[in-house]
Every structure is written in structure tokens, then in C-alpha cells.
Amino acid sequence: MTVAETSHPAPERRGTRRGSDFARLSRRVAEAGLLDKRPGYYAMRIGLVAALFGGTWALFAALGDSWWQLGVAVLMAVAFAQVTLLAHDLAHGQITRSRRVSRIAGLIVGNLAVGLSYGWWMDKHTRHHANPNHEDHDPDVAPDVLIWSQRQAEASRGLPRFVGRWQAFLFFPLLTLEGVNLKVSSFRALRRPSLKHRGTEGALLAAHVVAYLAAIFVVLPPPMALLFVAVHQAAYGVYLGCTFAPNHKGMPVLTAEDELDFLRKQVLTSRNVRGGRLVNTALGGLNFQIEHHLFPSMPTANLRKAQPIVRDYCASLGVDYVECGLLESWGQALRHLHEAGRPLRAARS
């Protein structure tokens, strides 16, 4: 949906910027100490994620040729997703202020551990943060396979036009391919001259693929090994999709006609997800998406503390602050996808 197609308050158009609104909020958050790093929190979190990651591989090796390995494949998908969420925090500078340390650690946990290009993903995610849910500038709402607005539907061709008619029903099945898609996109990015340290990125990605497949095919016979890879990658894709989809999908899609100040651009296109400690852990803190978009370098552990400050401040400005439960967030995303494909169903009928 576009801004005009939602019940959310219409954002200000050109000539009505309020650049000082975010500055006042930022001062409040900084004075509360919420932009300070949290080394103790991240030391504990990294230790737990490393134990989960290493433990699943140890369990995999101990079980050997067994149908129980399919359960291990799902558990390993959870471990891979949690490592990916750590790479996300590294990319935003949440863990350390040193860009060099963040890059080295990101290459290890991203490229080597899970087979995701840290440099490619960081570039893509930075462009998303700069213009969230913008048809022309956000790569996350580009009409690749899925379409995100009726305007995109009317201009679609090929696969997006075919899938777009019933994409709400195909969304979760398509997520099973997302893990493989991320790896393919990572290798494709190596052809870009703009990608820094391409040699290192490529070597670590190749090392991951070789070590991953070698470990699986050494322990399991080929048919079971192939099934293990399929289940693992499918579960990994679904986990990541269910982590990122609630954040923006179903929120207003911006166009060139919408020019917002920083605060409104981030808040009006984002959605928070309620759910307590379990949801917070499963989503890696991204359930506080509004606070994360306003303060990308804020440590995950501080997002919950920043929420009441941000929510009250938005209320004082009359800026819509959206939050709902996890299932409702998925429902909103699916309804939005179905509505975006309406012109394609109408044209076919």
C-alpha cells in the first residue's frame, strides 16, 4: 500500500520539514545513556550464540546416520539465524565503535559461519535504512519476485506478474528458498567492483560452502545429506523471513511524492512487535523496529528501554506509532501482499 492507501496519518509533503523533531528526541535518548555500548550484554549473547552454533554441529556429528538429523537441521537453522542477527548488529556498529573490528568480525560470522556476504548485505541494508519502504530507493521493496504496491503490480512483467496474483498464499512457501537466495546473491555480489575486499569475501564464502557440505556428506549418506541440506536451508529462510517481514511489510510504501523528515520517514514505515522476552530473543531485538530505525547503532539491549521515550514523544507530535502482536504483524503483511496483487487478478479476470 502507498501512503494514500492506508489509514495512517498522511505524511507531510514538500516544504513542511521538521528537522528539529528528531534532534530533540535524540538528546533525550542520549541523556538517558541508551546510546552507550553494552559490552557485558554482547559478551553474554555472543557466548550463548556460539554455544548454540557449536553445540548443534557437535550434536550433528554425534548422531550420525539417523532420521533425528532432520530435527537437528531445524535447530541448526535457528543457530544460523541467531548468528545472522549478530552480523546485523555488527554491521550497525552496535557491538563496538571500531569499524575495523566490526568488519573483521562480520566477515567471520557472516561469510565464514553462515555463508552470507557481509559487505554485500551491509550495503543493501544501509540503503534500506536510508529510505525504508520507498519504492524507488529501498532494495527490500524492489519488485524482484514479490510486488509491494499496486503501482508495482501494474508495471510488473514476467515472474513478479505471475507470482503477484496470489503472492500472499505463496509468501511462506517462497521463504523456504530465501536461505539459498541469500547465498546466491552473496556470490553474485563478488562480481561488483564496488564491493570492498572481494578476494577475502570470496575466499571465506567458498570456505563456508566447502566446509558445510563436506561436514554433512562425511557424516550422512548422500540421500540423507541432501535432505538435511534442504530442510536446514528451508527452515533458515523461513526463520529469517518471519524475523524481517513483521518490521515493514504492510506499512505505508513511500514514493517520490512523499518527502518526510527523518523521524517521520522511519516511524511511519516501521512496526513494533509485542511479545515479551521470547519474541525479543527470537527476533534479535528487531521487534523494536521503530527504535532501531531511529537509532541504528543503539545496542539491542537498550531498544526496550528507549521504547517508552520514543512512543511518548511520537504521541506528543501526533505521529502514528504502530505496534501489534507477532501473528497480527504477519497477518498485516499478508493482507498487504494480497491487496498489492489486486490489479493483476482484476486484469486476468
Side-chain angles (χ1 to χ4, degrees):
M1 74 185 87
T2 64
V3 168
E5 294 168 340
T6 74
S7 60
H8 301 278
E12 293 77 4
R13 301 292 177 173
R14 288 179 172 82
T16 58
R17 290 178 179 269
R18 301 178 182 174
S20 62
D21 287 344
F22 175 71
R24 286 193 290 269
L25 174 62
S26 183
R27 282 195 295 270
R28 295 185 187 181
V29 169
E31 289 170 358
L34 299 179
L35 298 179
D36 298 341
K37 300 305 177 189
R38 296 285 301 272
Y41 161 79
Y42 274 110
M44 180 182 67
R45 181 175 164 188
I46 290 170
L48 291 173
V49 171
L52 175 63
F53 186 81
T56 55
W57 279 111
L59 179 60
F60 169 79
L63 274 179
D65 185 5
S66 167
W67 285 103
W68 287 106
Q69 292 285 22
L70 298 184
V72 176
V74 175
L75 180 61
M76 190 175 290
V78 174
F80 269 51
Q82 287 294 321
V83 172
T84 305
L85 290 170
L86 274 178
H88 167 272
D89 288 10
L90 283 165
H92 280 297
Q94 295 178 18
I95 300 177
T96 174
R97 290 186 175 86
S98 171
R99 292 187 178 182
R100 184 172 181 272
V101 171
S102 293
R103 177 175 58 82
I104 293 173
L107 290 171
I108 293 172
V109 301
N111 294 56
L112 185 60
V114 298
L116 175 64
S117 169
Y118 178 76
W120 163 75
W121 185 85
M122 184 174 180
D123 172 72
K124 175 176 177 289
H125 196 61
T126 299
R127 288 185 284 126
H128 158 70
H129 266 263
N131 292 283
N133 265 26
H134 195 292
E135 280 191 346
D136 302 320
H137 304 302
D138 184 357
D140 289 353
V141 293
D144 186 8
V145 175
L146 301 176
I147 53 177
W148 304 102
S149 71
Q150 293 186 6
R151 184 179 304 187
Q152 288 182 349
E154 292 166 354
S156 64
R157 296 290 184 273
L159 183 61
R161 190 172 186 85
F162 175 77
V163 172
R165 297 187 185 101
W166 306 109
Q167 59 184 7
F169 301 96
L170 297 173
F171 179 69
F172 284 105
L174 285 172
L175 284 182
T176 62
L177 303 175
E178 181 61 16
V180 174
N181 175 57
L182 290 173
K183 288 177 170 54
V184 171
S185 297
S186 295
F187 276 100
R188 290 175 61 186
L190 297 175
R191 299 180 297 181
R192 301 178 185 175
S194 60
L195 181 67
K196 297 179 180 179
H197 312 290
R198 285 191 294 169
T200 302
E201 290 244 2
L204 291 174
L205 286 174
H208 165 80
V209 172
V210 171
Y212 173 78
L213 293 178
I216 292 172
F217 278 88
V218 164
V219 172
L220 300 177
M224 178 64 77
L226 291 173
L227 183 59
F228 181 94
V229 170
V231 172
H232 174 228
Q233 294 300 323
Y236 176 53
V238 171
Y239 190 130
L240 288 183
C242 291
T243 298
F244 288 99
N247 302 334
H248 301 282
K249 309 314 179 190
M251 298 303 292
V253 177
L254 305 181
T255 68
E257 299 175 357
D258 304 304
E259 187 170 331
L260 310 180
D261 70 313
F262 178 79
L263 184 143
R264 288 162 178 79
K265 179 166 61 176
Q266 303 299 335
V267 174
L268 293 177
T269 60
S270 302
R271 177 198 297 111
N272 277 13
V273 178
R274 304 189 192 97
R277 184 171 297 179
L278 178 61
V279 170
N280 190 30
T281 300
L283 302 188
L286 294 182
N287 46 311
F288 298 106
Q289 189 67 193
I290 295 174
E291 289 71 28
H292 170 60
H293 261 256
L294 288 170
F295 305 99
S297 63
M298 179 182 290
T300 296
N302 289 345
L303 295 173
R304 176 180 57 83
K305 298 178 181 179
Q307 185 186 31
I309 299 175
V310 174
R311 183 170 51 201
D312 293 347
Y313 187 74
C314 288
S316 72
L317 296 176
V319 175
D320 200 13
Y321 182 102
V322 178
E323 56 181 335
C324 64
L326 183 60
L327 295 180
E328 175 59 20
S329 71
W330 291 341
Q332 291 181 19
L334 293 176
R335 287 192 293 271
H336 167 71
L337 284 170
H338 194 63
E339 182 64 17
R342 183 162 56 88
L344 300 179
R345 295 190 297 275
R348 188 175 186 182
S349 63

XYZ file of all heavy atoms in Angstrom, residues 247-289:
334
model
N 8.488 -6.251 10.284
C 9.020 -4.933 10.596
C 8.459 -3.817 9.717
O 8.240 -2.699 10.182
C 10.539 -4.952 10.471
C 11.174 -5.976 11.382
O 10.608 -6.334 12.400
N 12.336 -6.467 11.010
N 8.252 -4.102 8.427
C 7.850 -3.051 7.485
C 6.725 -3.473 6.545
O 6.020 -2.613 6.027
C 9.040 -2.612 6.628
C 10.197 -2.083 7.413
N 10.221 -0.804 7.940
C 11.364 -2.652 7.779
C 11.360 -0.615 8.581
N 12.061 -1.721 8.512
N 6.586 -4.762 6.285
C 5.605 -5.200 5.303
C 4.194 -4.918 5.807
O 3.822 -5.291 6.912
C 5.762 -6.706 5.011
C 7.185 -7.127 4.662
C 7.867 -6.212 3.659
C 9.289 -6.666 3.370
N 10.053 -5.674 2.590
N 3.416 -4.262 4.983
C 2.081 -3.853 5.374
C 2.022 -2.428 5.884
O 0.944 -1.894 6.122
N 3.182 -1.800 6.056
C 3.238 -0.389 6.421
C 3.254 0.452 5.135
O 3.454 -0.074 4.046
C 4.483 -0.114 7.268
C 4.498 -0.869 8.592
S 3.054 -0.543 9.626
C 3.335 1.168 10.076
N 3.028 1.772 5.245
C 2.968 2.611 4.042
C 4.207 2.477 3.165
O 5.332 2.424 3.662
C 2.853 4.026 4.618
C 2.201 3.845 5.943
C 2.724 2.542 6.470
N 3.973 2.407 1.863
C 5.048 2.397 0.874
C 5.194 3.812 0.333
O 4.237 4.396 -0.171
C 4.754 1.401 -0.267
C 5.841 1.466 -1.329
C 4.631 -0.016 0.290
N 6.378 4.373 0.444
C 6.615 5.752 0.036
C 6.966 5.827 -1.448
O 7.495 4.884 -2.026
C 7.742 6.366 0.866
C 7.575 6.326 2.386
C 8.759 6.995 3.073
C 6.267 6.982 2.805
N 6.674 6.964 -2.044
C 7.009 7.230 -3.437
C 7.741 8.563 -3.511
O 7.984 9.221 -2.502
C 5.746 7.279 -4.308
O 4.978 8.448 -3.943
C 4.891 6.033 -4.106
N 8.068 8.982 -4.732
C 8.777 10.246 -4.930
C 7.956 11.438 -4.463
O 8.502 12.516 -4.198
C 9.148 10.413 -6.401
N 6.652 11.268 -4.338
C 5.791 12.371 -3.899
C 5.892 12.632 -2.398
O 5.485 13.685 -1.922
C 4.330 12.066 -4.250
C 4.080 11.903 -5.742
C 2.652 11.492 -6.026
O 1.899 11.288 -5.052
O 2.293 11.380 -7.201
N 6.409 11.668 -1.656
C 6.463 11.777 -0.206
C 7.858 12.207 0.233
O 8.820 11.463 0.044
C 6.136 10.428 0.444
C 4.788 9.906 -0.004
O 3.799 10.630 0.175
O 4.738 8.794 -0.557
N 7.957 13.375 0.789
C 9.227 13.846 1.325
C 9.050 14.126 2.809
O 8.398 15.102 3.204
C 9.695 15.104 0.597
C 11.094 15.524 1.013
C 11.669 16.609 0.131
O 11.310 16.664 -1.043
O 12.462 17.409 0.642
N 9.618 13.274 3.613
C 9.439 13.351 5.056
C 10.746 13.718 5.740
O 11.823 13.474 5.212
C 8.966 12.001 5.603
C 7.778 11.335 4.911
C 7.479 10.024 5.603
C 6.575 12.234 4.927
N 10.624 14.259 6.938
C 11.815 14.425 7.752
C 12.235 13.044 8.258
O 11.518 12.052 8.117
C 11.540 15.385 8.910
C 10.607 14.784 9.943
O 9.573 14.222 9.539
O 10.906 14.861 11.142
N 13.432 12.975 8.855
C 13.998 11.688 9.237
C 13.096 10.934 10.204
O 12.849 9.728 10.032
C 15.382 11.893 9.865
C 16.034 10.626 10.327
C 16.656 9.776 9.425
C 16.016 10.258 11.667
C 17.251 8.592 9.858
C 16.604 9.085 12.101
C 17.221 8.256 11.188
N 12.591 11.600 11.219
C 11.801 10.920 12.228
C 10.558 10.288 11.625
O 10.271 9.103 11.868
C 11.422 11.896 13.345
C 10.658 11.298 14.533
C 11.105 11.944 15.835
C 9.139 11.476 14.385
N 9.804 11.039 10.855
C 8.558 10.516 10.282
C 8.821 9.434 9.243
O 8.071 8.466 9.142
C 7.735 11.668 9.707
C 7.127 12.541 10.801
C 6.687 13.889 10.287
N 6.075 14.669 11.373
C 6.783 15.315 12.306
N 8.109 15.287 12.277
N 6.153 15.978 13.259
N 9.888 9.592 8.476
C 10.215 8.573 7.470
C 10.484 7.226 8.130
O 10.091 6.169 7.602
C 11.433 9.023 6.664
C 11.872 8.040 5.598
C 12.859 8.666 4.621
C 14.120 9.143 5.303
N 15.103 9.650 4.315
N 11.129 7.240 9.281
C 11.457 5.990 9.954
C 10.271 5.426 10.733
O 10.024 4.222 10.711
C 12.649 6.210 10.899
C 13.898 6.757 10.236
C 14.461 5.847 9.169
O 14.242 4.638 9.180
N 15.182 6.426 8.215
N 9.533 6.288 11.412
C 8.456 5.813 12.286
C 7.241 5.354 11.487
O 6.660 4.291 11.765
C 8.048 6.915 13.290
C 6.825 6.463 14.099
C 9.200 7.238 14.224
N 6.836 6.125 10.487
C 5.606 5.803 9.754
C 5.721 4.562 8.882
O 4.715 3.985 8.498
C 5.192 7.002 8.885
C 4.752 8.257 9.636
C 4.454 9.385 8.665
C 3.534 7.972 10.509
N 6.930 4.129 8.579
C 7.113 2.948 7.733
C 7.497 1.704 8.533
O 7.718 0.642 7.948
C 8.200 3.201 6.670
O 9.442 3.506 7.329
C 7.816 4.353 5.751
N 7.578 1.833 9.860
C 8.036 0.716 10.691
C 6.940 0.275 11.658
O 6.042 1.040 11.993
C 9.290 1.117 11.484
O 10.324 1.532 10.614
N 7.059 -0.942 12.132
C 6.083 -1.515 13.052
C 6.828 -2.267 14.158
O 7.755 -3.036 13.872
C 5.166 -2.483 12.314
C 4.149 -3.185 13.181
C 3.560 -4.426 12.536
N 2.814 -4.142 11.325
C 3.200 -4.500 10.108
N 4.359 -5.149 9.934
N 2.464 -4.221 9.050
N 6.426 -2.056 15.397
C 6.958 -2.830 16.510
C 6.104 -4.069 16.745
O 4.920 -4.094 16.424
C 7.004 -1.991 17.786
C 8.247 -1.126 17.865
O 8.957 -0.950 16.886
N 8.490 -0.573 19.042
N 6.711 -5.085 17.328
C 6.024 -6.351 17.602
C 6.082 -6.627 19.097
O 7.159 -6.683 19.689
C 6.660 -7.514 16.815
C 5.957 -8.827 17.149
C 6.601 -7.248 15.319
N 4.915 -6.794 19.705
C 4.862 -7.145 21.128
C 5.150 -8.631 21.308
O 5.080 -9.405 20.360
C 3.478 -6.840 21.697
C 3.008 -5.398 21.532
C 1.726 -5.190 22.332
N 1.071 -3.934 22.018
C 0.071 -3.814 21.155
N -0.401 -4.882 20.534
N -0.473 -2.639 20.923
N 5.439 -9.014 22.558
C 5.586 -10.445 22.781
C 6.487 -10.838 23.928
O 6.654 -12.015 24.216
N 7.140 -9.893 24.574
C 7.948 -10.234 25.727
C 9.304 -10.785 25.376
O 9.797 -10.668 24.251
N 9.928 -11.422 26.361
C 11.320 -11.863 26.238
C 11.515 -12.911 25.146
O 12.530 -12.903 24.444
C 11.795 -12.418 27.584
C 13.255 -12.816 27.603
C 13.719 -13.134 29.002
N 13.633 -11.941 29.854
C 13.961 -11.943 31.143
N 14.367 -13.071 31.735
N 13.856 -10.838 31.861
N 10.545 -13.825 24.981
C 10.690 -14.867 23.968
C 10.751 -14.268 22.569
O 11.639 -14.609 21.768
C 9.528 -15.864 24.070
C 9.529 -16.990 23.027
C 10.795 -17.832 23.156
C 8.284 -17.861 23.168
N 9.821 -13.371 22.260
C 9.825 -12.724 20.946
C 11.072 -11.870 20.781
O 11.695 -11.845 19.708
C 8.546 -11.875 20.766
C 8.645 -10.998 19.521
C 7.334 -12.785 20.667
N 11.466 -11.179 21.845
C 12.658 -10.337 21.787
C 13.894 -11.165 21.447
O 14.737 -10.752 20.630
C 12.842 -9.622 23.131
C 13.900 -8.547 23.065
O 14.122 -7.946 22.030
N 14.558 -8.314 24.184
N 14.007 -12.344 22.056
C 15.155 -13.212 21.784
C 15.081 -13.800 20.380
O 16.077 -13.823 19.645
C 15.209 -14.353 22.818
O 15.329 -13.788 24.134
C 16.391 -15.270 22.561
N 13.904 -14.280 20.002
C 13.754 -14.907 18.689
C 14.016 -13.934 17.555
O 14.610 -14.301 16.526
C 12.349 -15.496 18.560
N 13.589 -12.681 17.718
C 13.744 -11.688 16.651
C 15.019 -10.865 16.809
O 15.236 -9.921 16.037
C 12.529 -10.760 16.610
C 11.163 -11.425 16.400
C 10.086 -10.371 16.181
C 11.198 -12.399 15.236
N 15.824 -11.186 17.778
C 17.079 -10.472 17.945
C 16.915 -9.008 18.262
O 17.788 -8.189 17.928
N 15.816 -8.638 18.905
C 15.567 -7.244 19.241
C 14.940 -6.440 18.127
O 14.579 -5.273 18.321
N 14.779 -7.042 16.949
C 14.207 -6.312 15.813
C 12.710 -6.091 15.972
O 12.103 -5.418 15.136
C 14.494 -7.049 14.507
C 15.968 -7.126 14.116
C 16.138 -7.842 12.790
C 16.596 -5.744 14.053
N 12.117 -6.665 17.016
C 10.711 -6.360 17.291
C 10.549 -4.908 17.749
O 9.458 -4.355 17.672
C 10.157 -7.307 18.357
C 11.077 -7.477 19.545
O 12.274 -7.726 19.387
N 10.543 -7.335 20.738
N 11.641 -4.272 18.183
C 11.629 -2.833 18.462
C 12.143 -2.104 17.213
O 13.143 -1.392 17.253
C 12.494 -2.516 19.678
C 12.017 -3.161 20.944
C 12.683 -4.244 21.483
C 10.884 -2.695 21.598
C 12.252 -4.854 22.650
C 10.433 -3.295 22.775
C 11.112 -4.382 23.291
N 11.442 -2.308 16.126
C 11.921 -1.834 14.834
C 11.928 -0.305 14.736
O 12.801 0.280 14.096
C 11.056 -2.415 13.712
C 11.590 -2.165 12.311
C 12.887 -2.893 12.008
O 13.544 -2.607 11.021
N 13.264 -3.847 12.862
